[in-house]
Amino acid sequence: MPDALEGTHKIIKEAREQQHNQLVPTVNDFNQELTTLNLGPTHPATHGIFQNILQMDGERIVSGVPTIGYIHRAFEKIAERRPFYQITPLTDRMNYCSSPINNMGWHMTVEKLLGITVPKRAQYMRVIMMELARITDHLICNSILGVDTGAFTGFLYVFQEREKVYEIYEEVCGARLTTNMGRVGGMERDFTPVALEKLRKWLKEFPAVMREFESMFTRNRIFMDRTVNVGPITAEKALNYGFTGPNLRAAGVDYDVRVMNPYSSYEDFDFEIPVGTNGDTYDRFLVRNEEIWQSLRIIHQALDNLPEGPFHADAPHYYLPPKQAVYKNMEALIYHFKIIMGEIEAPVGEVYHSVEGGNGELGFYLVSDGGRTPYRLHFRRPCFIYYQAYPEMVVGSSLSDAIVTLSSMNVIAGELDA
Amino acid sequence: MAENTEESAAQQAALPVEDPNKLTNARVLANLRRMFGEDAFTDVDEPYGLLTATTTRERIHEIIQKLHQDEEMLFQFLTTMCGIHYPDHEGKELGMIYQLHSLVHNVRLRLKIFFPIADPVVPTLTDVYATANWMEREAYDFYGVIFQGHPNLIRILNVEDMDYHPMRKEYALEDGTREDKTDLFFGR
């Protein structure tokens, strides 16, 4: 074994011993005996597979150590072998509550690398799909927060609405959860009249349900008691911990990638960034609810101003042709073959592109050495970055507070572990 | 590509009229050179509009700490950091890439360091950014970069008793087209 590795092992060993010593309760005083509680790895209240080793003094949490990596699937390593299109399914499976955002973020990264300009219509279509995904993501997070405080009904109300959004996805691309509607250079196909009709119908029906959902929780005494001043984090700390998305905005920082670095024509739309003040669970809930309304505003604007024109860029070397065209058109067949066999060669370069994901800045750092696969692909996964602040947010509170804090942070295990 | 550069050139031409105090890449670079010396940075480039510079591991901690505290530029947000492995670069096989973001000015900066794989020790950034903790554990897990001064440098995503660092290039993924394996029991 080389010396460097041996040193490494020593460091691991020492660190593990140190961690172990921290975990083992020290019995100095009879009254201070601590209980070790394993919250997770698989527990309905942990919303995924991650473990929290909590030290409890009665009902109060003294310290916590989060352990992750239970569903690590080595996406970054796998991506080094895959042509650009075949990385799309990896991105789907990170934040599976809002997979269109992940997909399109990845496609935009490749477009940036290749220098493809996407036509306006495709950009607006992307905006519609991404905002739908954001709405479903926030709906799930907020309604599960309701379930964790003991209110199951609201969850049923909005889950039905998510189902309807998934039907729109199905109409647009054929898939529901792991969508495949995006392509490098645009969309796979245009919106069908049925899809537009479903979308308009949903836009008409959804606000009533949303209002009902809000009226159930927002001024609910029990809900407020369970969430106000629970799991707070200050703006300064949130920034230092690298928070983004609703979690950061709830602490009062109006950082939104859609406004700061507009992509996909977000600069054309008129919307506000809701911010909170305390950074507690209640603020995170309110910020997400308000973002749903803002997303609806964006969708309305995009639908009303949907430009005419092509739904994909004229880039045959990179744009994967729709399957129907492949059956009938020789050119499409050739390009389809070339792209699927991975004959696209990307230029040498490195590119960082980020989009506003369901729960924060989702970034793609791509290093290309001119081959058909990325030399290195690093995902900036918002969940991974802010979950490390969890112990700090829950220390001193009770176990039931820890549960609602966790669900209001919207940590998706698929994205945490990649 | 051509269109992008034209656009950014047009934007930059339009900017001085609007706001002469705007923090541009050129100004960040001038500040960096003034604060840390002309020879602190090599390979300065601007791929896709993001200022990129390479420095050394001896100076990286000082540079990032000063950038974090600098009241003009305010690089207070560490977007991400990740490792990279170039097996062919003799003496500079491993690298770390830091991406900083100045939220006030909306300027991003990418800093890189490279060091030999036989001596993969770099200073930790956990005293500057709390978020560096897990990112460094991840880089240690995947590339074996040892962060001096890290409070809890153990594996994060892989199992703890692994004795190699899987993202290094010597561990190639197996060929997806190989046919000598039977998949009889797969997916039942």
Side-chain angles (χ1 to χ4, degrees):
Chain A
M1 191 184 289
D3 284 351
L5 270 183
E6 206 150 308
T8 318
H9 283 275
K10 204 166 149 241
I11 290 182
I12 306 177
K13 217 175 145 208
E14 282 169 5
R16 283 183 58 76
E17 273 170 11
Q18 196 188 347
Q19 194 187 25
H20 186 253
N21 289 341
Q22 282 170 1
L23 292 178
V24 172
T26 43
V27 192
N28 298 332
D29 183 354
F30 179 72
N31 293 323
Q32 281 202 339
E33 194 173 331
L34 302 179
T35 319
T36 307
L37 180 76
N38 276 310
L39 179 63
T42 51
H43 185 276
T46 52
H47 298 237
I49 312 175
F50 31 89
Q51 184 186 24
N52 290 293
I53 305 165
L54 302 174
Q55 289 287 5
M56 311 280 297
D57 177 12
E59 242 325 83
R60 204 172 57 85
I61 297 169
V62 179
S63 71
V65 179
T67 316
I68 63 167
Y70 288 93
I71 60 165
H72 177 54
R73 292 159 290 177
F75 280 171
E76 289 181 7
K77 185 77 181 175
I78 294 172
E80 286 176 9
R81 247 203 97 86
R82 292 197 171 192
F84 295 119
Y85 267 107
Q86 293 179 23
I87 293 171
T88 313
L90 301 181
T91 62
D92 279 348
R93 283 153 182 78
M94 286 200 301
N95 187 346
Y96 34 75
C97 288
S98 50
S99 40
I101 301 183
N102 302 11
N103 287 171
M104 312 238 180
W106 164 244
H107 290 140
M108 280 183 245
T109 312
V110 179
E111 281 158 14
K112 205 170 176 181
L113 180 75
L114 299 171
I116 298 175
T117 317
V118 180
K120 262 304 196 224
R121 183 178 177 86
Q123 292 188 357
Y124 275 50
M125 287 164 73
R126 280 181 174 178
V127 166
I128 294 173
M129 283 345 256
M130 284 194 283
E131 292 306 317
L132 279 178
R134 191 182 322 283
I135 291 174
T136 53
D137 190 291
H138 288 352
L139 278 183
I140 289 304
C141 173
N142 274 352
S143 60
I144 295 270
L145 177 62
V147 172
D148 283 339
T149 58
F152 191 62
T153 321
F155 173 69
L156 292 179
Y157 285 2
V158 301
F159 214 74
Q160 213 173 0
E161 294 304 310
R162 189 186 85 140
E163 197 62 22
K164 287 179 189 159
V165 175
Y166 277 19
E167 276 171 23
I168 298 170
Y169 291 171
E170 200 176 4
E171 194 54 48
V172 171
C173 70
R176 292 163 64 83
L177 186 72
T178 53
T179 55
N180 51 9
M181 57 184 87
R183 292 285 184 268
V184 173
M187 300 285 281
E188 190 240 350
R189 68 186 92 166
D190 210 343
F191 284 157
T192 57
V194 182
L196 283 173
E197 189 190 317
K198 277 191 174 175
L199 184 56
R200 290 221 165 84
K201 185 162 174 275
W202 181 78
L203 283 175
K204 215 175 275 170
E205 288 170 358
F206 174 64
V209 180
M210 189 62 207
R211 268 192 289 274
E212 207 165 354
F213 177 74
E214 277 189 318
S215 67
M216 249 180 101
F217 288 102
T218 310
R219 304 303 299 170
N220 183 320
R221 192 68 249 167
I222 302 170
F223 184 74
M224 285 176 80
D225 283 348
R226 288 292 305 275
T227 53
V228 175
N229 281 331
V230 167
I233 189 157
T234 60
E236 201 178 19
K237 256 190 191 155
L239 276 178
N240 201 15
Y241 267 112
F243 274 39
T244 44
N247 292 345
L248 178 66
R249 291 194 280 273
V253 183
D254 63 340
Y255 172 52
D256 191 318
V257 186
R258 290 175 292 176
V259 177
M260 246 181 166
N261 299 72
Y263 52 92
S264 196
S265 308
Y266 266 110
E267 66 275 11
D268 294 1
F269 303 108
D270 179 29
F271 62 100
E272 281 154 27
I273 315 173
V275 286
T277 45
N278 294 331
D280 59 4
T281 303
Y282 187 62
D283 276 9
R284 285 192 280 274
F285 175 82
L286 293 185
V287 164
R288 286 209 171 82
N289 272 347
E290 187 52 38
E291 267 184 35
I292 290 174
W293 292 110
Q294 298 300 332
S295 293
L296 283 175
R297 258 176 86 183
I298 297 174
I299 295 176
H300 273 293
Q301 291 171 40
L303 256 188
D304 293 344
N305 305 325
L306 195 64
E308 294 296 321
F311 57 92
H312 62 85
D314 184 19
H317 291 280
Y318 306 118
Y319 174 75
L320 187 69
K323 199 68 185 170
Q324 282 307 316
V326 174
Y327 291 136
K328 292 177 189 155
N329 183 335
M330 192 63 208
E331 294 270 297
L333 178 64
I334 291 170
Y335 284 123
H336 182 271
F337 179 78
K338 280 190 152 186
I339 290 168
I340 295 293
M341 298 312 285
E343 291 191 8
I344 314 179
E345 290 205 344
V348 182
E350 53 186 325
V351 48
Y352 177 79
H353 184 76
S354 60
V355 295
E356 180 71 27
N359 41 15
E361 176 176 348
L362 176 70
F364 300 85
Y365 175 59
L366 169 68
V367 180
S368 165
D369 62 346
R372 49 193 279 270
T373 60
Y375 185 78
R376 169 86 168 101
L377 177 61
H378 176 72
F379 301 112
R380 186 212 189 260
R381 316 185 296 277
C383 290
F384 177 75
I385 285 165
Y386 59 61
Y387 186 52
Q388 55 185 314
Y390 179 64
E392 192 162 323
M393 288 158 80
V394 299
V395 162
S397 57
S398 71
L399 182 61
S400 57
D401 290 348
I403 303 283
V404 287
T405 308
L406 180 58
S407 62
S408 74
M409 282 169 82
N410 196 11
V411 180
I412 311 282
E415 193 174 273
L416 186 69
D417 292 355
Chain B
M1 194 45 215
E3 289 139 4
N4 282 355
T5 45
E6 270 172 32
E7 258 178 39
S8 63
Q11 278 170 3
Q12 279 175 358
L15 280 174
V17 187
E18 288 171 14
D19 184 6
N21 291 325
K22 191 174 161 58
L23 195 68
T24 56
N25 282 352
R27 262 186 72 195
V28 173
L29 188 61
N31 283 349
L32 286 177
R33 289 227 161 106
R34 178 173 53 76
M35 286 163 74
F36 306 107
E38 289 285 330
D39 53 345
F41 300 99
T42 49
D43 294 330
V44 179
D45 198 4
E46 232 178 303
Y48 303 93
L50 210 155
L51 183 63
T52 303
T54 306
T55 180
T56 59
R57 62 174 164 180
E58 284 78 24
R59 303 208 59 186
I60 187 75
H61 185 270
E62 174 207 346
I63 289 173
I64 290 186
Q65 195 170 29
K66 280 198 178 149
L67 285 177
H68 178 70
Q69 288 161 355
D70 187 70
E71 289 188 355
E72 188 196 343
M73 295 190 284
L74 292 162
F75 278 103
Q76 290 187 335
F77 195 78
L78 178 67
T79 303
T80 186
M81 74 159 90
C82 65
I84 194 163
H85 185 203
Y86 289 104
D88 300 335
H89 294 189
E90 192 74 32
K92 291 179 168 186
E93 288 96 345
L94 279 183
M96 283 300 292
I97 294 153
Y98 303 86
Q99 312 220 25
L100 308 177
H101 194 174
S102 165
L103 291 179
V104 178
H105 302 287
N106 195 17
V107 173
R108 292 181 195 264
L109 170 66
R110 186 188 288 139
L111 291 174
K112 298 183 186 179
I113 50 173
F114 292 99
F115 40 90
I117 199 165
D119 174 29
V121 182
V122 297
T124 179
L125 280 185
T126 42
D127 52 339
V128 186
Y129 298 104
T131 180
N133 191 321
W134 278 19
M135 294 180 192
E136 285 177 357
R137 277 175 71 185
E138 194 187 28
Y140 160 70
D141 189 349
F142 286 156
Y143 287 95
V145 184
I146 295 170
F147 293 91
Q148 215 157 31
H150 190 286
N152 186 23
L153 196 67
I154 54 171
R155 285 185 185 269
I156 185 163
L157 290 170
N158 287 314
V159 286
E160 285 133 358
D161 50 358
M162 243 172 153
D163 55 358
Y164 54 95
H165 300 287
M167 286 282 283
R168 289 186 179 175
K169 288 286 177 187
E170 64 252 39
Y171 305 108
L173 282 164
E174 81 177 18
D175 184 2
T177 57
R178 62 183 276 193
E179 289 173 355
D180 56 326
K181 276 198 333 188
T182 61
D183 284 339
L184 281 178
F185 300 105
F186 181 72
R188 285 196 303 161

